[in-house]
Amino acid sequence: MKKRLALFLSILMLLMSIFMVGCNSKESKTNQREIVVTDLLGREVKIKENVKRVVAIGPGALRLYTYIAGKDKIVGIEEFEKKNVKGRPYIIANKELLELPTVGLGGPNNPPDAEKILSVKPDVIFTTYAKDKAEADNLQNKTGIPVVAISYGKVSLFDNAVNESLKLIGKVVSKEERAKEVVDFIEGVKKDLEKRTRDLKDENKPSVYIGALGMKGMHGIESTQGKYSLFTVLNIKNVADETGKTGSVMIDKEKLVEWNPDIIFIDLGGLEIVKQDYSKNSKFYDSLKAFKEGNVYSQLPYNFYSTNIDTALVDAYFIGKTVYPERFNDINIKEKADEIYKFFVGKELFDKMKEDFGELGKLQIK
């Protein structure tokens, strides 16, 4: 009798254990803790903790993500990211990303592909596509996956929207310490550049122009920017500020003759266009003071599917050293560039960028 009772109690305890494990398992699935974040469109988004699978879509979304988490947790990328890695340090340093499944076309004028995104089963979608809450909500409703809108803001460098986006990514994927390090690095560079030049008087500053800037493709010398953030942080006298515009603008060549700047920078992405134009219009170029006196310099192109922040920071130091050499005499550009690339993407890529685009320095256009 006692043996039967003991056997009965053992079986009962086993059944209760199985029942409790099942209940706890079910409870853990239904009651998995969530965090709530506010994205760059002001949307409150609920996301389950311990995100393990991520996609980042739209201009520059993957780049910002890699600055925080490298290739970790990314389960698919856009076709546009795979087509041409030239000029994209975040891809060059993380080439394993190119082997991942495709989650949409990407690139200009191509909306997100909900079906392909769903095929890789992400826990969260970071996007720069959404221009308003309705677009972000629409993608979230189509996929049933939390959509977090991030942004580069309105200027090419040092826009607070980038800092907020980086911190947001860090919070979602539990990399808040790294996010703080990246934001602090960017702000530290900004303060260093400003400090070196803030006390210069306007009458002691040369006039400067930047041409051949990329803007949805490559352009010639007429493509420039008003309130160019790399010039603004260095307190440089940008002749294009006279246009009253902030950001990309196409000017008439006659205007450049009128401004006749002391120094001209040419973005290496558009250098061949400038050279071709020079062969047809050499009189125009030779009439410019900067060309006559040999004060034409290069700049690494940084605008590939939005801003490569690391390369833009390298350019800022080179521009500062070129325009105000006495204020940057302690800066070795190669050392500074490799420090920046190593911090952002984990590899020293300055030589690779020069190999792809050319040297930073004086340009011979003829």
Side-chain angles (χ1 to χ4, degrees):
M1 183 70 179
K2 287 182 178 180
K3 288 183 178 179
R4 289 182 178 178
L5 180 60
L7 180 61
F8 173 76
L9 290 173
S10 297
I11 293 171
L12 182 62
M13 290 180 67
L14 178 61
L15 290 171
M16 288 181 66
S17 297
I18 293 170
F19 177 75
M20 291 298 293
V21 169
C23 287
N24 288 338
S25 177
K26 186 176 180 181
E27 184 177 298
S28 67
K29 288 179 181 178
T30 56
N31 294 331
Q32 184 176 347
R33 189 177 170 190
E34 293 180 328
I35 61 171
V36 179
V37 299
T38 302
D39 71 8
L40 271 287
L41 291 173
R43 299 164 57 249
E44 287 194 348
V45 185
K46 291 181 180 179
I47 303 163
K48 291 179 180 178
E49 278 195 327
N50 302 317
V51 166
K52 294 180 180 179
R53 300 177 66 83
V54 174
V55 294
I57 58 173
L62 180 61
R63 178 188 299 111
L64 291 186
Y65 182 87
T66 61
Y67 287 165
I68 302 302
K71 58 183 180 291
D72 187 35
K73 301 181 181 180
I74 292 290
V75 293
I77 68 172
E78 294 174 302
E79 182 66 29
F80 192 81
E81 298 279 18
K82 297 182 178 184
K83 285 182 177 179
N84 187 1
V85 303
K86 185 178 176 181
R88 299 183 192 177
Y90 64 104
I91 296 289
I92 296 169
N94 296 284
K95 287 189 176 178
E96 296 88 344
L97 291 170
L98 300 174
E99 305 303 318
L100 292 174
T102 299
V103 294
L105 290 174
N109 306 315
N110 290 317
D113 189 323
E115 186 176 338
K116 287 192 175 180
I117 291 170
L118 279 170
S119 71
V120 298
K121 302 177 182 178
D123 298 318
V124 65
I125 301 166
F126 291 106
T127 181
T128 57
Y129 279 125
K131 297 299 184 285
D132 54 39
K133 292 181 181 181
E135 284 191 25
D137 288 340
N138 183 47
L139 180 59
Q140 186 164 293
N141 292 334
K142 278 184 177 180
T143 60
I145 298 165
V147 170
V148 178
I150 55 179
S151 173
Y152 279 75
K154 296 181 179 180
V155 296
S156 53
L157 188 63
F158 302 124
D159 195 303
N160 191 55
V162 170
N163 293 347
E164 293 305 311
S165 295
L166 293 167
K167 289 188 281 188
L168 183 58
I169 292 167
K171 184 172 183 179
V172 171
V173 298
S174 302
K175 295 276 187 180
E176 291 175 278
E177 185 176 339
R178 169 61 180 173
K180 184 179 184 305
E181 289 174 356
V182 177
V183 171
D184 287 349
F185 188 95
I186 294 170
E187 289 302 303
V189 169
K190 181 181 180 182
K191 288 178 183 177
D192 182 41
L193 296 171
E194 289 175 332
K195 182 178 69 175
R196 290 171 182 269
T197 58
R198 69 162 59 104
D199 63 333
L200 287 165
K201 295 180 180 179
D202 281 349
E203 57 265 29
N204 296 327
K205 297 177 182 178
S207 57
V208 187
Y209 176 81
I210 175 77
L213 288 175
M215 178 182 61
K216 295 182 179 179
M218 300 305 177
H219 300 279
I221 199 167
E222 304 95 329
S223 179
T224 190
Q225 282 193 20
K227 303 295 182 184
Y228 187 48
S229 52
L230 276 66
F231 285 1
T232 300
V233 72
L234 289 161
N235 298 289
I236 283 173
K237 189 188 295 184
N238 181 6
V239 294
D241 286 350
E242 185 186 304
T243 64
K245 296 182 179 180
T246 297
S248 297
V249 58
M250 297 292 288
I251 65 160
D252 293 328
K253 285 180 179 177
E254 290 76 12
K255 196 66 181 174
L256 187 53
V257 173
E258 179 185 324
W259 289 332
N260 203 17
D262 298 307
I263 300 171
I264 291 177
F265 287 91
I266 300 293
D267 190 277
L268 287 170
L271 178 59
E272 287 307 311
I273 298 175
V274 174
K275 285 184 173 181
Q276 290 170 19
D277 190 46
Y278 182 91
S279 67
K280 302 172 186 175
N281 302 290
S282 59
K283 286 185 179 180
F284 158 71
Y285 290 93
D286 291 340
S287 71
L288 297 170
K289 183 198 304 184
F291 277 79
K292 285 190 287 188
E293 297 180 0
N295 288 320
V296 181
Y297 298 86
S298 59
Q299 170 186 282
L300 286 172
Y302 61 78
N303 191 24
F304 291 92
Y305 211 30
S306 199
T307 302
N308 288 284
I309 294 169
D310 38 21
T311 301
L313 294 180
V314 172
D315 280 336
Y317 273 104
F318 175 71
I319 291 168
K321 190 173 178 68
T322 301
V323 178
Y324 307 122
E326 71 285 354
R327 300 295 176 107
F328 288 81
N329 58 11
D330 61 318
I331 297 295
N332 178 292
I333 290 300
K334 176 175 168 51
E335 290 176 2
K336 177 59 71 174
D338 280 334
E339 173 196 333
I340 290 169
Y341 285 125
K342 184 78 178 286
F343 176 80
F344 278 96
V345 299
K347 292 186 178 180
E348 297 177 349
L349 296 177
F350 185 56
D351 287 341
K352 172 61 176 171
M353 296 299 286
K354 289 196 301 178
E355 178 187 323
D356 285 347
F357 296 106
E359 293 282 345
L360 279 178
K362 281 195 175 186
L363 283 175
Q364 295 296 324
I365 304 297
K366 297 180 182 180

